[in-house]
Every structure is written in C-alpha cells, then in structure tokens.
Amino acid sequence: QVQLVESGGGLVQAGGSLRLSCAASGRTFSYAMGWFRQAPGKERELVAATSGSTYYADSVKGRFTISRNNAKNTVFLQMNSLKPEDTAVYTCAARQGTIYYYADGLVWDYWGQGTQVTVSS
C-alpha cells in the first residue's frame, strides 16, 4: 500500500510560480508518478507524469516541469508562469509499473488527497 501526501499549494498571482511536492510512504522508484488537476465544473485531467516517458498536457508545456527524487520517494511539480486557468485541486497519483504511452482511461493505483492551487488575475 502506498500513501501519497501533497504539499505546496496556495494562492499566487498570475505569472507567479509554485512548487508542489508529493511524498510517498513506500518505495515508489518503480512506479509511474503523475499529477492531475480538477477545476470546478471540469473533468479531472492528467497534467504531467513521469515514467518510461514523460507526459505534459498541452496547456502546461513549457511552463510546468515534473521531477522526482527516488531516494526520498518524492515527486515534484514546478509550475511557472501560472495563469488563472491553472486554478484547480492538484492531486498526485501513482501506478505500478512503467508507462510509455499515456492512454486515456489509464487506471492509477494510488491517489493523494489533493492540494488547492489558486491563481489570481
């Protein structure tokens, strides 16, 4: 069983930066790790993920960077040039195994509780 705990969310002005962290309770070096977000009234979407390949949603390419520290079982999401439309609850997820292609409907095994990111205009 893996437990995921996010931190680093908050309120920031447009153009600012935030760094989200996701700490895992177990060893997750062999897991795919991802960040999802869900805004009010919208479906949850995969924002970034790291595994056999790295994934970024088109809306965040060039602004967000996902990274991981396997020694500390932690994954990060550096978010720069934030926009009001980035406002959402950001949730960390883990999936056993290696992902090379991030297909729609891919099932993730473990989820964190989420952290709120609010970008003011």
Side-chain angles (χ1 to χ4, degrees):
Q1 190 76 5
V2 173
Q3 292 184 327
L4 305 172
V5 179
E6 303 95 338
S7 61
L11 173 65
V12 65
Q13 288 189 331
S17 299
L18 282 175
R19 188 192 195 205
L20 305 182
S21 299
C22 173
S25 61
R27 298 184 69 186
T28 55
F29 67 91
S30 63
Y31 284 54
M33 301 296 296
W35 285 97
F36 289 77
R37 70 183 180 186
Q38 186 166 22
K42 295 188 177 181
E43 292 187 355
R44 184 173 60 194
E45 64 170 337
L46 178 62
V47 174
T50 178
S51 185
S53 65
T54 302
Y55 170 87
Y56 292 101
D58 288 343
S59 59
V60 307
K61 283 180 180 177
R63 301 189 297 122
F64 290 11
T65 303
I66 189 170
S67 61
R68 65 194 297 172
N69 183 330
N70 288 331
K72 296 186 177 181
N73 298 312
T74 304
V75 64
F76 305 96
L77 185 67
Q78 178 67 42
M79 305 186 295
N80 298 327
S81 302
L82 283 161
K83 304 175 181 180
E85 51 264 44
D86 294 318
T87 295
V89 174
Y90 285 72
T91 305
C92 176
R95 175 186 165 92
Q96 297 184 57
T98 303
I99 302 173
Y100 293 96
Y101 176 70
Y102 296 88
D104 289 342
L106 195 63
V107 176
W108 292 72
D109 300 307
Y110 303 102
W111 295 86
Q113 293 298 311
T115 184
Q116 176 71 45
V117 171
T118 303
V119 185
S120 63
S121 57

